[in-house]
Amino acid sequence: MSEKDCPDIRSELPDTEFQFKQFGEKCETIVIGLHGWTGDEHSLIPVSIGVRLPNSLWILPRAPFKAHQIPKGYSWFNKKPKSKEEVLTTVKFIIDIVNSIREKMNNKVRIFMLGFSQGATLSTAAGLLIGNRINGIVAIAGFLSRKNTEMLNIEPIKFNLPILILHGTNDQIVPVERGIESMKICKKLGCDVVMKTYDEKHKIPVTAMKIIKEFMIK
């Protein structure tokens, strides 16, 4: 399966810009990559190239809102969402993409959510709500709070959903303590969580690429 064979995501979400990146002739894994605040559909292309997962298709959507306070970039929701509905609308957007893939491909492909910063928060929240329709989550420099789980009515899952949490110990934008909090919450919800830290700020280091690849190949 290539981009042209993928479920017709462009027509189902005509107001959304996408980038697609494929590695290998077959498609055994689909990675839905969600960029961070002020990013766009191009932001995670270097990560897809760095990971270079064999026989994978990366689907990289642009967030629906303009990021405030800067001239360029996009946001999945305001830094402090104005309402629960604003968050739910964006979460549903991601769930619709996964459901569209599953309906066409059934269990022929593995699906992973991957997100950075704000995209990591969304990947984790949406992934927990999607449950067994995905095969794992990679959350980089993001967080999930108890308030988030209560607002979205996220309940304990009934299988060991694999989650990889990556976080820089020198991150001053989203402190590593927020990542540790996410790990504890996801474990309590029944997920199979692994957390790796690295001596970096709010970024995705080259050393993370191998860790992500190994997690997805398992």
Side-chain angles (χ1 to χ4, degrees):
M1 185 177 72
S2 64
E3 175 194 342
K4 66 181 180 180
D5 301 316
C6 192
D8 197 3
I9 293 173
R10 291 187 191 275
S11 66
E12 292 177 18
L13 300 167
D15 297 326
T16 303
E17 293 293 331
F18 288 92
Q19 283 291 311
F20 295 83
K21 197 74 179 172
Q22 185 171 359
F23 301 92
E25 295 182 1
K26 299 179 180 178
C27 181
E28 298 169 349
T29 304
I30 290 179
V31 182
I32 301 170
L34 308 181
H35 62 76
W37 184 68
T38 75
D40 61 22
E41 68 275 21
H42 301 279
S43 298
L44 292 178
I45 288 179
V47 176
S48 71
I49 294 171
V51 174
R52 197 170 285 277
L53 187 69
N55 295 321
S56 67
L57 175 66
W58 292 61
I59 300 175
L60 309 171
R62 178 195 291 178
F65 304 110
K66 289 287 290 183
H68 297 302
Q69 301 165 335
I70 60 168
K72 293 183 179 180
Y74 297 86
S75 172
W76 296 104
F77 37 78
N78 286 322
K79 277 192 170 182
K80 292 184 179 180
K82 296 176 182 178
S83 66
K84 175 181 177 179
E85 287 68 32
E86 179 184 331
V87 178
L88 286 173
T89 297
T90 303
V91 168
K92 184 180 181 300
F93 165 82
I94 301 304
I95 292 175
D96 286 347
I97 293 176
V98 172
N99 286 342
S100 179
I101 295 168
R102 276 287 174 237
E103 284 168 12
K104 181 172 183 179
M105 303 306 299
N106 201 0
N107 293 319
K108 294 178 183 177
V109 296
R110 301 162 76 231
I111 301 175
F112 286 89
M113 305 289 303
L114 179 146
F116 172 69
S117 193
Q118 191 187 65
T121 299
L122 178 58
S123 292
T124 306
L128 288 168
L129 288 169
I130 292 166
N132 61 7
R133 295 178 78 81
I134 63 170
N135 298 90
I137 301 168
V138 179
I140 310 165
F143 67 91
L144 183 73
S145 68
R146 286 182 175 80
K147 184 178 179 181
N148 296 147
T149 61
E150 291 169 1
M151 178 181 67
L152 295 171
N153 296 319
I154 295 174
E155 299 179 350
I157 57 176
K158 298 178 180 178
F159 69 104
N160 292 327
L161 176 65
I163 299 181
L164 173 63
I165 295 176
L166 300 174
H167 218 112
T169 54
N170 295 316
D171 193 331
Q172 296 179 342
I173 296 176
V174 181
V176 69
E177 288 76 17
R178 303 301 299 275
I180 294 171
E181 179 186 4
S182 296
M183 176 188 68
K184 291 178 179 177
I185 290 170
C186 290
K187 281 187 174 181
K188 197 168 183 178
L189 288 168
C191 301
D192 181 11
V193 188
V194 174
M195 182 172 182
K196 303 280 188 181
T197 59
Y198 37 82
D199 186 21
E200 290 285 357
K201 296 182 179 179
H202 194 65
K203 61 183 292 186
I204 308 174
V206 174
T207 53
M209 307 303 173
K210 182 180 179 182
I211 299 171
I212 295 169
K213 186 174 184 177
E214 289 174 349
F215 173 77
M216 291 183 175
I217 285 178
K218 280 184 183 178

